[in-house]
Amino acid sequence: MRFEISKVLDAIEGRVCTDPSLARAVVDLAEVIRWQNLDGGRPASLLRLGMVIDALSRQIGEDSVPVYAIVHRALLSDADLTSNERMVVRRWADDGLVEVLDQPGDRMLEVADLLGLPVLTRARLDGLVGRYPWLGQAGRVLAPVPGAGGPVFIAHVGGGQDPATGSRSPAGVKLLSRQWRCPEPGCALFGGGGGGGAFADLAAVDRAPAEQPPPTLRTGAPTCPRHGARLSDAGPRPRTEVLAVRIGGLVRKRFALTETEPVPVGRAPEGPGAVTLGQWLNDEARRWISRSHIRLELRVGEVVVTDTSTNGSGVRPGGSMAENERIALAPQQSRVLAEGDLIELYPGVQVGRAAKMSSDATYTPNSVMAEAPTMAMRLPRQ
Ligand SMILES: [Zn+2]
């Protein structure tokens, strides 16, 4: 059972990130783990984060939906968590997957403000509407509460269930147009540090600049939320285009394409940032789709697809499913993708800009809790 819980925590690990282009909602981990009535279990449990992520996934109708978690430093030594859970949170902190703060304050709201994301919290935030006017908009703040098949959301304003996304605040747009460097050596959020010239910095950076979280603003200056240190400007941030994979009508995964690194997509491609589809394909699709089927690149703002397959692929202009409009892409052929174009690797297996793509059927997304022992999944009777 211990082993199974580890597998669930691994699955949850794939759904926490501080990447501003991929995170879909903001949570305060110290709050989430204590929502005891979600499962009637221990006073604190990290599995509740998985339950909330699943609920978000169901509500958005997409698989692999990551959340941006703010973590109070005290959580790393919280005796109500198991030692395994504490170890997992520490690993997330070391890898920069979550933000660990001594004084979280209203960082959760700042991140939501800068990125335009919804907040999942039970806290009443009415008093802060003056500072963050979007708190008064429907669907921007949702309380996860127990429901029949797992947690469900109730919007603080409007009473609906759907998370609403806003646009990045002007400060967010400005902060996210640059990359930042923390003077603290080994900073997991704004890696590099220590000085020593450009090359020394490059060696220490283990985080792609495009994935850097938004700095916090202290008296107007970009500051590392973890170390409280002033950040230095390390140049323009690489452009990012968020793409999505849709299989059988369900958006399975979003991924970021930057100018620094091409992204291979296929049955089982290799390389950093590669998008693996194998686990979602049936036997026929698996036989048709090459290990590395297409390569995507972002060149001066244009998404370029190159077929690297044995069998070729196709482009659906504007997402049209009319057969006579499909443009065949032969092996080794390249094409610039227009705004709404979809690349089709195999019928029903598509890649395109995330903003232009939604799940078009009622599918049940895969649960991060699939491996969870039934005990942890026990839900309160309704
Ligand atoms: Zn730092």
Side-chain angles (χ1 to χ4, degrees):
M1 180 163 134
R2 186 168 284 272
F3 176 65
E4 285 174 7
I5 288 179
S6 299
K7 281 206 286 190
V8 180
L9 294 176
D10 282 349
I12 297 173
E13 181 166 315
R15 314 283 172 95
V16 284
C17 78
T18 52
D19 184 332
S21 342
L22 298 179
R24 306 293 287 278
V26 190
V27 297
D28 176 345
L29 194 59
E31 189 191 353
V32 173
I33 61 164
R34 293 192 181 277
W35 287 332
Q36 206 168 354
N37 67 350
L38 288 186
D39 53 34
R42 295 183 281 124
S45 161
L46 200 49
L47 297 177
R48 286 175 196 137
L49 178 63
M51 300 177 79
V52 170
I53 292 170
D54 273 357
L56 184 65
S57 209
R58 280 194 300 272
Q59 201 60 45
I60 296 180
E62 283 189 30
D63 237 348
S64 321
V65 170
V67 297
Y68 194 120
I70 308 293
V71 180
H72 194 297
R73 193 170 159 69
L75 206 70
L76 302 181
S77 49
D78 190 324
D80 285 338
L81 291 176
T82 65
S83 58
N84 186 35
E85 287 175 322
R86 286 193 298 268
M87 195 180 70
V88 166
V89 178
R90 260 183 230 127
R91 188 172 71 221
W92 295 352
D94 291 344
D95 292 347
L97 297 176
V98 297
E99 238 181 57
V100 176
L101 306 177
D102 297 328
Q103 300 284 340
D106 65 352
R107 175 64 176 160
M108 180 174 68
L109 295 182
E110 185 189 39
V111 169
D113 181 65
L114 295 171
L115 302 184
L117 293 177
V119 177
L120 307 180
T121 181
R122 289 184 184 172
R124 302 299 314 186
L125 304 166
D126 308 351
L128 294 161
V129 177
R131 182 144 178 225
Y132 299 114
W134 50 265
L135 286 173
Q137 291 166 12
R140 289 301 298 279
V141 186
L142 299 128
V145 296
V152 292
F153 298 125
I154 298 174
H156 288 234
V157 174
Q161 298 203 322
D162 288 326
T165 305
S167 41
R168 289 177 177 176
S169 69
V173 171
K174 225 169 142 182
L175 289 171
L176 293 168
S177 68
R178 314 295 299 172
Q179 35 177 320
W180 303 97
R181 193 142 298 160
C182 179
E184 192 70 30
C187 177
L189 300 175
F190 302 93
F199 290 104
D201 282 351
L202 272 181
V205 169
D206 52 1
R207 186 186 182 91
E211 296 168 10
Q212 282 188 350
T216 187
L217 282 173
R218 298 225 180 125
T219 56
T223 305
C224 176
R226 172 76 190 91
H227 300 110
R230 275 284 281 275
L231 298 171
S232 57
D233 188 324
R237 183 183 288 243
R239 290 175 78 132
T240 301
E241 190 77 48
V242 181
L243 304 181
V245 178
R246 185 167 63 191
I247 299 176
L250 177 66
V251 173
R252 294 289 184 176
K253 186 185 174 67
R254 287 181 173 210
F255 59 97
L257 181 64
T258 65
E259 283 171 337
T260 39
E261 196 95 60
V263 172
V265 181
R267 180 166 36 85
E270 280 169 18
V275 177
T276 302
L277 309 180
Q279 71 269 34
W280 298 304
L281 303 175
N282 62 26
D283 288 347
E284 257 173 74
R286 209 184 277 262
R287 273 194 294 274
W288 179 269
I289 294 177
S290 296
R291 180 174 269 277
S292 178
H293 200 94
I294 56 170
R295 185 179 67 238
L296 295 158
E297 286 161 280
L298 191 61
R299 291 191 210 147
V300 274
E302 305 254 49
V303 177
V304 180
V305 55
T306 302
D307 188 283
T308 54
S309 74
T310 310
N311 293 318
S313 41
V315 172
R316 300 278 190 181
S320 160
M321 288 300 138
E323 278 315 312
N324 56 346
E325 290 177 24
R326 184 179 188 271
I327 299 162
L329 205 59
Q332 301 312 317
Q333 214 179 339
S334 292
R335 192 183 165 83
V336 173
L337 277 201
E339 200 63 21
D341 288 1
L342 295 180
I343 310 154
E344 197 170 56
L345 288 72
Y346 179 82
V349 180
Q350 297 141 350
V351 176
R353 286 181 175 80
K356 300 284 169 188
M357 225 179 200
S358 57
S359 296
D360 56 10
T362 46
Y363 287 85
T364 312
N366 281 340
S367 171
V368 287
M369 306 292 286
E371 308 280 355
T374 36
M375 241 182 76
M377 286 297 289
R378 189 185 52 201
L379 298 166
R381 304 245 174 271
Q382 291 291 301

